[in-house]
Amino acid sequence: MHSLESVPESVQRSIVFGILLYFTLIVYAEIANEPLAGFAADIVFAFVAITVGVLLFTRATDRLSPLSAGGLCLLVGGIAQLIAVFTGELLLHAVASMAVFVGIGLYILAVWLET
């Protein structure tokens, strides 16, 4: 897990910015009833999931570790979300949500096992 500490601060800030942008777009889309903001939020969600997934997967020292599996789940979830945004396929939205949920759970498990 120590390899995650070597992630450049600019990358960490970009991820935090992406997460904040996602939630801002979601809130705006709901309040203003603006479908374009919801569309943008879905795209931001996909790119954040892909970025964090690649980061976790490449930083994992063991390919069978929860950290590696979590990164892979986030990567798959982000790609599924991006495809779902452009195809409108509801099943892909569900797959993306589940993959991201599992990826976050595996990341939490990896952090918990490390401490």
Side-chain angles (χ1 to χ4, degrees):
M1 189 73 78
H2 299 293
S3 60
L4 288 177
E5 295 169 358
S6 66
V7 174
E9 195 172 317
S10 60
V11 172
Q12 293 176 13
R13 273 193 241 120
S14 297
I15 291 170
V16 170
F17 174 75
I19 293 168
L20 292 174
L21 178 62
Y22 167 72
F23 283 113
T24 301
L25 286 168
I26 285 292
V27 169
Y28 176 72
E30 289 299 315
I31 291 172
N33 196 22
E34 180 61 51
L36 187 57
F39 180 78
D42 286 342
I43 291 174
V44 169
F45 175 85
F47 281 111
V48 168
I50 290 169
T51 303
V52 173
V54 168
L55 183 70
L56 294 179
F57 187 78
T58 58
R59 299 292 176 155
T61 55
D62 179 14
R63 292 294 170 225
L64 298 176
S65 70
L67 187 64
S68 178
L72 190 59
C73 284
L74 286 167
L75 178 61
V76 167
I79 292 170
Q81 177 68 23
L82 202 55
I83 294 170
V85 166
F86 291 107
T87 64
E89 183 63 42
L90 293 178
L91 179 61
L92 280 176
H93 277 292
V95 167
S97 296
M98 289 303 296
V100 168
F101 181 74
V102 170
I104 291 169
L106 286 167
Y107 173 73
I108 291 169
L109 176 65
V111 169
W112 183 59
L113 291 175
E114 184 66 26
T115 57

